[in-house]
Amino acid sequence: MEQGEYKVGLDTLLKILATFDLSIGDFFDESARNESVVQKYRSLSPSAQKEVESFIEFKRAQEEDGSWDSDSGESEGDDV
Amino acid sequence: MSEATMADMTSRIEELRQHALEQVRAENFDEALALYDEALGLTDDEELRELITINKGHALIAAERTGPEVKALPMILMRRRNAHHTFLSSYALMYTHRLTNESKRAIFYGQIALEAATEAEQTFWRLAALNELGMVYELDSQFGKAIECFNNALACLNQVSSANEQNVSRVAIIGNLGYNKLLVGETKEGIRLLHSVVEEMPSEHLKADVYVDLCYGYLDLEQYETARRFGDMSLEIACEPRQVRNAHYLLGEAAYKMGDVDAAEEHFEQLARFYPQFRHLKSLLFAIDLRSMINLKL
């Protein structure tokens, strides 16, 4: 082995990589999802994009505050 | 048995052995094995039986089979009856371990074969040992050492008397040297060497390997049209799944780098069919260039 570089056959390499198929899948699924969200955002008009940004800021502030529980709306009804 | 009858018998055994060696070279292994068995049945001479056993062991290895003759090789090597048997048995052991990808063991036996050839001052043995040892170093990713072996083997060529042996060996050694030059980044020199022998390759199988090596080399030079041409030529005559996979992979890379996504998709799809359990293989191939990690001969 020279310069720390060990080469293997394509078949061996792909069989090794196949054992990480699920993780690779997660990586590509996540990337695809992010790309899809960004594309949808870009397809909006400038004013709609501003609305989305304001809504994101609103949700972020809510979560940082800790005063809002995502399940609270449903649980209110359950107590009645 | 009279001396004349003995001489006749010895001559008959040698004739059978030589005929068997020819059959091995022609890859007619069953015929070769039968001839060796016939020769073994004709002699009680221990030295001669040992030589035929080594030859038969080598034929079994070449046929990717095993048998008592293959298992006997380490013992024969340890006995070191003479330089010829030491060379042949160590060479056969290097060869079998190369085929099973046990590179460290193959290197061990290869060095013994090379020493035996050098001590016996047999140029053709030395040439054969150097070429085989070069392939073993290549398998072990020791490309600098592999190049050194192939260069030394080429230096032996001029001293080999048989024109036929000289030509077959030259083509094989230069083909090996060319590919290793590609692997160490001496791409133009590697391509030049491969072009000098590609049309002389004695079989379609070997030619398919050189075509795919050229595809790999031209990809490295970013000459994608030429890379695709050689990739297609390799695919046309590919004889084994390894060659088909390599060609599809490199053709996919070349197409992708040229912006021909449809062709890349098609080649990666063909490659992905070998790995039905690997669902995200195509996505991976579009995202990552694996060329620096692979040895096309494995």
Side-chain angles (χ1 to χ4, degrees):
Chain A
M1 188 159 48
E2 288 152 1
Q3 299 162 352
E5 194 179 277
Y6 201 92
K7 292 179 193 285
V8 296
L10 181 62
D11 186 47
T12 304
L13 180 60
L14 295 183
K15 280 176 179 161
I16 293 167
L17 291 172
T19 62
F20 300 106
D21 191 32
L22 284 179
S23 318
I24 291 168
D26 288 346
F27 173 78
F28 286 115
D29 288 347
E30 186 63 21
S31 301
R33 186 173 164 273
N34 290 344
E35 207 168 301
S36 152
V37 170
V38 171
Q39 271 175 358
K40 281 178 190 162
Y41 169 82
R42 282 184 183 151
S43 70
L44 297 172
S45 65
S47 62
Q49 283 182 2
K50 275 212 173 310
E51 271 185 59
V52 170
E53 282 167 29
S54 304
F55 184 66
I56 290 170
E57 275 311 306
F58 167 68
K59 295 302 288 181
R60 264 169 38 84
Q62 248 189 349
E63 290 197 354
E64 275 171 17
D65 229 14
S67 60
W68 182 81
D69 178 357
S70 62
D71 292 334
S72 58
E74 290 166 15
S75 59
E76 271 172 24
D78 292 341
D79 291 341
V80 177
Chain B
M1 199 184 286
S2 72
E3 265 186 35
T5 318
M6 275 255 297
D8 280 352
M9 188 62 83
T10 307
S11 155
R12 171 70 185 142
I13 292 165
E14 184 55 17
E15 193 183 300
L16 286 168
R17 198 178 74 84
Q18 289 299 331
H19 191 191
L21 288 169
E22 279 167 26
Q23 294 298 318
V24 172
R25 280 193 283 272
E27 300 189 356
N28 299 324
F29 299 115
D30 287 327
E31 289 84 345
L33 295 172
L35 289 163
Y36 285 133
D37 284 338
E38 192 181 337
L40 280 169
L42 294 177
T43 182
D44 291 326
D45 179 83
E46 269 190 36
E47 190 164 345
L48 189 50
R49 286 185 68 81
E50 188 174 274
L51 177 60
I52 300 166
T53 303
I54 299 169
N55 290 156
K56 190 179 170 194
H58 193 114
L60 284 164
I61 293 164
E64 295 183 43
R65 299 180 207 169
T66 190
E69 291 82 2
V70 177
K71 293 197 173 89
L73 289 171
M75 192 55 80
I76 291 172
L77 175 59
M78 277 167 59
R79 202 176 292 136
R80 288 179 181 257
R81 188 186 293 272
N82 59 44
H84 191 204
H85 293 198
T86 301
F87 169 75
L88 287 177
S89 54
S90 53
Y91 183 91
L93 284 162
M94 161 167 59
Y95 181 47
T96 189
H97 286 108
R98 177 169 72 81
L99 294 185
T100 52
N101 290 345
E102 293 171 90
S103 55
K104 302 298 178 204
R105 282 186 178 159
I107 289 169
F108 172 75
Y109 289 117
Q111 283 164 346
I112 296 174
L114 185 57
E115 277 167 28
T118 307
E119 278 170 22
E121 298 180 353
Q122 289 287 336
T123 311
F124 190 68
W125 299 1
R126 193 172 144 74
L127 181 156
L130 282 164
N131 187 44
E132 185 68 25
L133 191 55
M135 285 193 273
V136 175
Y137 278 128
E138 176 194 306
L139 166 78
D140 201 44
S141 295
Q142 299 192 53
F143 308 115
K145 282 189 177 173
I147 287 172
E148 197 182 323
C149 284
F150 296 133
N151 277 328
N152 289 338
L154 279 177
C156 293
L157 260 185
N158 294 335
Q159 299 159 43
V160 174
S161 52
S162 155
N164 189 36
E165 275 178 352
Q166 207 178 58
N167 195 44
V168 170
S169 306
R170 183 184 62 82
V171 168
I173 297 164
I174 291 178
N176 290 331
L177 180 61
Y179 177 58
N180 278 269
K181 290 275 183 180
L182 300 183
L183 293 177
V184 296
E186 294 177 36
T187 311
K188 286 184 178 165
E189 174 63 0
I191 286 176
R192 188 190 67 77
L193 289 166
L194 292 167
H195 273 301
S196 74
V197 293
V198 62
E199 295 311 324
E200 292 178 76
M201 284 289 154
S203 69
E204 296 282 271
H205 181 257
L206 293 171
K207 205 178 267 189
D209 268 344
V210 180
Y211 283 148
V212 97
D213 294 348
L214 284 165
C215 174
Y216 180 89
Y218 281 110
L219 248 172
D220 196 35
L221 294 183
E222 301 181 356
Q223 295 182 22
Y224 303 125
E225 285 281 6
T226 315
R228 285 176 80 172
R229 184 157 55 84
F230 283 110
D232 283 330
M233 285 160 77
S234 178
L235 199 52
E236 240 171 64
I237 56 169
C239 304
E240 57 169 306
R242 172 185 62 85
Q243 294 177 324
V244 175
R245 285 191 293 261
N246 284 338
H248 278 305
Y249 170 60
L250 293 178
L251 280 165
E253 278 293 333
Y256 181 65
K257 288 192 160 46
M258 283 177 80
D260 187 348
V261 178
D262 288 345
E265 173 102 20
E266 172 61 25
H267 286 296
F268 289 158
E269 176 64 38
Q270 293 288 339
L271 178 59
R273 285 185 190 169
F274 285 93
Y275 308 93
Q277 76 290 359
F278 196 166
R279 291 189 307 117
H280 301 93
L281 175 56
K282 262 200 305 178
S283 305
L284 180 82
L285 293 173
F286 273 112
I288 301 172
D289 187 338
L290 303 174
R291 278 179 297 152
S292 64
M293 297 176 229
I294 59 168
N295 179 343
L296 300 168
K297 302 298 154 70
L298 296 175

